[in-house]
Amino acid sequence: MHYTEYDTRLAVYAVLVDEQDRILLTWFNGGPRGLRPGWSLPGGGVDFDERLEDAVVREVYEETGYAVTVGPLLAEHHFSGRQESGRPFRSQRLLFAATITGGELGTVERDGTTDFARWVPRSDFPLTEHTAEIVQLAVERAWNPQI
């Protein structure tokens, strides 16, 4: 299918791991379209003409309260489907390593799709609650970056 025949959503996410062997996750509340709530990574859609790194910094701050510096690309993931209108779409997701440089834990966005963020120990995986596919990818790459 030619790229003019579908829409693309570009999204970026941060993979943040601390010295206590925990990863920072966010709780996606399902949003206005009533999608399934569950765990995700701090991140989201890239605004038009926004640098990828700037989008990571913005999204992490909005969803977690932390300021970060962006590291290397760890992984990419995509899925495709159909919008409510029937038009095909592709969701392209990029996962970046990141390091906290300031701030404190607490979601600062209002009326958004993230209710809260939480540090989750590596030993808690797999989680019992619904978890986005990119979380498993992040867990694999965070503790096995050579994959």
Side-chain angles (χ1 to χ4, degrees), residues 68-143:
V68 297
T69 57
V70 180
L73 178 67
L74 294 177
E76 67 87 21
H77 177 269
H78 80 275
F79 70 91
S80 58
R82 295 214 173 262
Q83 300 177 78
E84 291 176 11
S85 67
R87 184 170 165 86
F89 76 92
R90 174 187 172 110
S91 178
Q92 182 67 50
R93 307 173 193 188
L94 304 171
L95 282 61
F96 289 90
T99 304
I100 295 172
T101 59
E104 59 183 52
L105 185 60
T107 302
V108 300
E109 73 178 351
R110 299 291 174 247
D111 301 320
T113 58
T114 299
D115 286 349
F116 59 89
R118 178 176 296 150
W119 288 100
V120 178
R122 179 180 183 185
S123 60
D124 285 2
F125 288 91
L127 302 175
T128 57
E129 300 94 351
H130 175 68
T131 306
E133 287 180 59
I134 57 171
V135 172
Q136 182 58 40
L137 182 56
V139 167
E140 291 169 4
R141 296 296 167 91
W143 287 292

